[in-house]
Amino acid sequence: MNKAILVGNLTRDPEQRTTPSGVSVTSFTVAVTRRYKSQDGTQQADFINCVAWRSTAEFIAKYFTKGSRIGVVGTIQTRTYDDANGVRRYVTEVVVDEAEFVTSKAQNPGASRGDAPAQQAPQPQQNADDLFAEELSDFQPLDDAELPF
């Protein structure tokens, strides 16, 4: 299985291009903070390169700007190419299948570019550990007699 789920902030404005055949493609980098801090107390982050195609590319380019908080779902892809000097380059990136707002329109710097589509409504922010704890609080173990097999 190859699935990547990221929530972070854009490090720069998304770069939208069009292929010679007319397909939209948008490249961007997401800064994802780590769950822990370093020994000196500073927050660490990973900078993940992403690429989106077609309508997802157009959506990201239209509604997100540098600093916007974004949630993406996609797959990790690796590729190689030879640069202008003939040096082999290796690239690892997330090919984005889905993108969502993680903050409200008022908190999103890209909101001024137009109204967001209804299906991309802001998602409430809640820590995954908190959600898991809430689900476990209602958990009642089954008695062996209740098992259907």
Side-chain angles (χ1 to χ4, degrees):
M1 180 185 308
N2 180 356
K3 189 166 196 161
I5 303 171
L6 306 172
V7 175
N9 295 77
L10 294 182
T11 61
R12 56 183 162 78
D13 287 343
E15 236 177 79
Q16 185 177 17
R17 301 178 310 282
T18 304
T19 66
S21 60
V23 177
S24 295
V25 58
T26 299
S27 301
F28 56 98
T29 302
V30 178
V32 180
T33 55
R34 295 182 182 172
R35 294 184 68 157
Y36 56 88
K37 294 182 180 180
S38 64
Q39 287 184 344
D40 66 358
T42 59
Q43 186 70 51
Q44 300 285 316
D46 293 300
F47 299 88
I48 313 295
N49 294 324
C50 300
V51 62
W53 296 87
R54 297 176 181 77
S55 61
T56 305
E58 293 167 4
F59 171 74
I60 292 167
K62 184 174 182 179
Y63 294 109
F64 292 89
T65 60
K66 178 180 178 176
S68 295
R69 192 134 175 94
I70 189 171
V72 297
V73 177
T75 57
I76 297 173
Q77 172 181 284
T78 59
R79 58 186 172 89
T80 61
Y81 67 94
D82 295 328
D83 68 12
N85 298 323
V87 177
R88 170 104 354 160
R89 299 290 180 177
Y90 299 88
V91 178
T92 301
E93 59 197 357
V94 173
V95 178
V96 176
D97 298 318
E98 304 170 38
E100 295 185 16
F101 293 107
V102 179
T103 56
S104 70
K105 185 175 177 181
Q107 295 170 314
N108 181 4
S112 62
R113 291 188 178 184
D115 292 327
Q119 72 271 17
Q120 297 295 336
Q123 301 294 313
Q125 290 188 38
Q126 192 167 12
N127 184 325
D129 292 336
D130 294 340
L131 288 171
F132 188 67
E134 284 178 22
E135 289 181 21
L136 282 180
S137 67
D138 295 332
F139 177 73
Q140 297 294 323
L142 292 175
D143 185 4
D144 286 345
E146 297 177 273
L147 295 175
F149 49 88

